[in-house]
Amino acid sequence: GEEWDILVDAPLPIDVGWVVFDDNYGGNPVDASGTTTVTTVGSISRLAKYWNLKDATTSTVKLENQSVLNGMDVFPRRDDISTNLGLPSAPIVDGFQTSLNVNYAAPLTFFNVSVNGSSIPIAEGSAGAPGQRWTGTNFSLTDYTYFGFPTGSSYDATGYGSQSIDDLQQDYEFRWTGVQGDTVINGKTVHIIVSGGSIATLYGARSFSIANHPLNPSPGSTDPFLARIPFEVWNKDLGIQINYEFYDRSQSDPTAEGFYVWFPTNRVYGQVLNTPYDPAHIADGSTGGADADKYTWNNVWYKSTWTVGDVVEIDYVNPIQIGVDMFNFTTTAPGYSKTLALDQVGKINVFPNPYYGVNTEEINKYQRFVTFTHLPEKATIRIFNLGGVLVRTIDKTDPGQFQRWDLSNESGLPIASGFYIAYIDLPDLGTTRILKLAVIQERQILDRF
């Protein structure tokens, strides 16, 4: 339960003996001892994730070194308990309440996918791999982490792919412009993309060798080659078309009648190669070439029965980058709208009504009041009894909507129980409001006369 700093002044290496005593939890004591050789002196540092709030008009820092994120203090932190839950997670400064709900880590998957502008609902992933799959009328796709890493590495178990937050937070459009048609190769019909779409790299297949692929320009070779696919890939952040590569997951015989270059009814794997589009470029990430660190995300197209003109958008979380990102917001100065105030006249009211001996907002027996609500800045409230006698006049000239009446007359004495009429004159609006109020007083014991 204690922490120790060990200061080593002796020349290295140095042997440090140690003994660990078991606390006998769960069985007989098992003590241990040994010697550890210290060969180097190291240090560990940690970056504190603080946020500040500055008045951009006056350049005055209003909040400094705030470490409460998502309602919890993240620095310092304890792994065994939730720390500092009592701290204000949304401090109020100059009338503004500020709270942060942000993420520092690189995205693990996309957070929104849409088809032609409509978001696709979330469904659980499958195929024996973690991840999530979005399912729509025409499309199913996933961040398929079997093929990549949850940190965003795009490629296979060799770990290729960018680890940069700048790269992984970028968003994409898949513009389905390809037209499917047929051709005959070696006497067999092959379904190809005859126009539109883009040129991408085919680098492999699950159940056959691409050496036998009907479009392989070097039959017998397993080297990646180019083929037309039914969509263009566009980087939304950069506004440019980028490269793509794909892998045939589902077909088994490339020499069979009716083979598809892009299989629309079952899985095709793809990787986003985040480099400017070059229809003559063969991606070399699969061999550890120059493209290896340029991939960002995997796509698994479970099916892709597209219509020309369809657009699939994939958006990723934009995490906070320390020292880079900031939020700016502006406010509107308070103003007065006569039209809005006139619309609110019917809402002018008084509570509690009836007043029955006590108001829950009162804190002692000397504080008795009712409250008028939805009042404009200027109002004159005249209180009459049922005999038409003026009991009290209250002039309101403040910008708030509330006005209290302490249930006393002009002489400061408590009024009697009974019914009263409140005639409210609204000079700036040119109208009035009349309310009825019932008051039932407690027994009055006056301190002085």
Side-chain angles (χ1 to χ4, degrees), residues 283-340:
D284 60 6
S286 60
T287 58
D291 290 330
D293 294 329
K294 305 295 178 58
Y295 297 96
T296 51
W297 294 98
N298 284 300
N299 310 127
V300 177
W301 303 93
Y302 277 77
K303 63 176 181 176
S304 48
T305 52
W306 74 94
T307 298
V308 173
D310 286 336
V311 176
V312 176
E313 295 183 60
I314 303 181
D315 298 320
Y316 294 87
V317 174
N318 285 27
I320 294 297
Q321 298 187 62
I322 296 175
V324 176
D325 290 321
M326 66 176 63
F327 296 95
N328 294 314
F329 62 92
T330 58
T331 61
T332 302
Y336 176 76
S337 169
K338 183 176 180 178
T339 301
L340 181 60

Side-chain angles (χ1 to χ4, degrees), residues 18-131:
W18 51 269
V19 178
V20 176
F21 297 97
D22 194 298
D23 62 1
N24 196 27
Y25 178 79
N28 295 324
V30 179
D31 299 335
S33 62
T35 300
T36 298
T37 300
V38 179
T39 58
T40 59
V41 176
S43 62
I44 298 176
S45 62
R46 175 175 176 173
L47 181 64
K49 297 174 180 177
Y50 291 133
W51 59 273
N52 301 322
L53 176 67
K54 184 174 74 172
D55 186 329
T57 302
T58 64
S59 296
T60 303
V61 177
K62 297 292 186 176
L63 294 171
E64 188 173 15
N65 294 340
Q66 301 292 304
S67 58
V68 178
L69 297 174
N70 310 331
M72 181 174 293
D73 196 334
V74 297
F75 186 85
R77 178 172 176 260
R78 287 273 299 275
D79 292 331
D80 54 337
I81 60 173
S82 297
T83 60
N84 299 331
L85 290 178
L87 291 180
S89 59
I92 299 176
V93 177
D94 292 347
F96 293 98
Q97 188 173 38
T98 306
S99 63
L100 257 64
N101 185 348
V102 298
N103 178 36
Y104 286 100
L108 301 181
T109 182
F110 41 74
F111 77 96
N112 181 65
V113 175
S114 65
V115 177
N116 299 331
S118 299
S119 293
I120 303 175
I122 296 174
E124 289 299 320
S126 60

Side-chain angles (χ1 to χ4, degrees), residues 11 79 113 127 183 207 321 330 344 350 352 385 402 424 426:
D79 292 331
V113 175
T183 188
S207 302
Q321 298 187 62
T330 58
Q344 297 290 313
V350 60
N385 63 21
F402 300 109
I424 305 172
L426 310 170

Side-chain angles (χ1 to χ4, degrees), residues 101-352:
N101 185 348
V102 298
N103 178 36
Y104 286 100
L108 301 181
T109 182
F110 41 74
F111 77 96
N112 181 65
V113 175
S114 65
V115 177
N116 299 331
S118 299
S119 293
I120 303 175
I122 296 174
E124 289 299 320
S126 60
Q132 293 179 319
R133 183 174 66 187
W134 272 250
T135 304
T137 302
N138 297 319
F139 301 94
S140 301
L141 65 138
T142 185
D143 165 28
Y144 195 43
T145 52
Y146 173 81
F147 233 21
F149 299 131
T151 51
S153 295
S154 76
Y155 218 68
D156 58 25
T158 53
Y160 299 137
S162 175
Q163 297 297 302
S164 166
I165 291 179
D166 287 331
D167 293 338
L168 297 176
Q169 69 181 2
Q170 292 174 8
D171 306 324
Y172 303 99
E173 280 186 355
F174 296 80
R175 303 177 183 177
W176 295 75
T177 58
V179 176
Q180 187 162 276
D182 297 338
T183 188
V184 176
I185 300 176
N186 296 327
K188 300 294 179 68
T189 299
V190 179
H191 302 299
I192 62 173
I193 306 301
V194 296
S195 64
S198 61
I199 305 300
T201 300
L202 174 62
Y203 66 93
R206 169 68 67 88
S207 302
F208 67 86
S209 171
I210 62 172
N212 302 319
H213 196 284
L215 295 190
N216 192 331
S218 302
S221 170
T222 58
D223 291 341
F225 57 88
L226 298 174
R228 187 174 294 274
I229 62 174
F231 54 81
E232 305 167 9
V233 186
W234 287 77
N235 184 306
K236 294 170 59 178
D237 295 72
L238 302 179
I240 62 172
Q241 186 176 356
I242 57 176
N243 293 305
Y244 200 73
E245 68 174 18
F246 68 107
Y247 177 97
D248 193 319
R249 165 61 179 81
S250 301
Q251 298 182 100
S252 59
D253 185 1
T255 64
E257 174 71 19
F259 178 81
Y260 284 88
V261 174
W262 177 273
F263 197 37
T265 59
N266 210 320
R267 276 172 288 177
V268 178
Y269 297 158
Q271 286 80 41
V272 175
L273 177 55
N274 199 23
T275 56
Y277 178 63
D278 180 356
H281 177 69
I282 298 177
D284 60 6
S286 60
T287 58
D291 290 330
D293 294 329
K294 305 295 178 58
Y295 297 96
T296 51
W297 294 98
N298 284 300
N299 310 127
V300 177
W301 303 93
Y302 277 77
K303 63 176 181 176
S304 48
T305 52
W306 74 94
T307 298
V308 173
D310 286 336
V311 176
V312 176
E313 295 183 60
I314 303 181
D315 298 320
Y316 294 87
V317 174
N318 285 27
I320 294 297
Q321 298 187 62
I322 296 175
V324 176
D325 290 321
M326 66 176 63
F327 296 95
N328 294 314
F329 62 92
T330 58
T331 61
T332 302
Y336 176 76
S337 169
K338 183 176 180 178
T339 301
L340 181 60
L342 281 169
D343 290 339
Q344 297 290 313
V345 169
K347 295 184 178 181
I348 294 175
N349 212 333
V350 60
F351 72 91

Side-chain angles (χ1 to χ4, degrees), residues 336 341-342 345 348 372-384 390 392-397 403 421-435:
Y336 176 76
L342 281 169
V345 169
I348 294 175
F372 294 88
T373 68
H374 291 86
L375 295 169
E377 180 173 346
K378 293 182 180 180
T380 299
I381 305 172
R382 294 180 177 89
I383 312 296
F384 297 90
L390 180 62
R392 180 72 179 273
T393 300
I394 304 171
D395 289 316
K396 178 185 178 299
T397 57
Q403 178 63 53
I421 303 297
Y423 183 89
I424 305 172
D425 185 24
L426 310 170
D428 288 346
L429 304 182
T431 188
T432 60
R433 172 79 165 159
I434 298 175
L435 300 174

Side-chain angles (χ1 to χ4, degrees), residues 388-417:
V389 177
L390 180 62
V391 175
R392 180 72 179 273
T393 300
I394 304 171
D395 289 316
K396 178 185 178 299
T397 57
D398 62 83
Q401 66 157 310
F402 300 109
Q403 178 63 53
R404 288 181 177 181
W405 174 35
D406 62 3
L407 302 180
S408 64
N409 60 22
E410 295 289 7
S411 300
L413 296 175
I415 63 170
S417 297

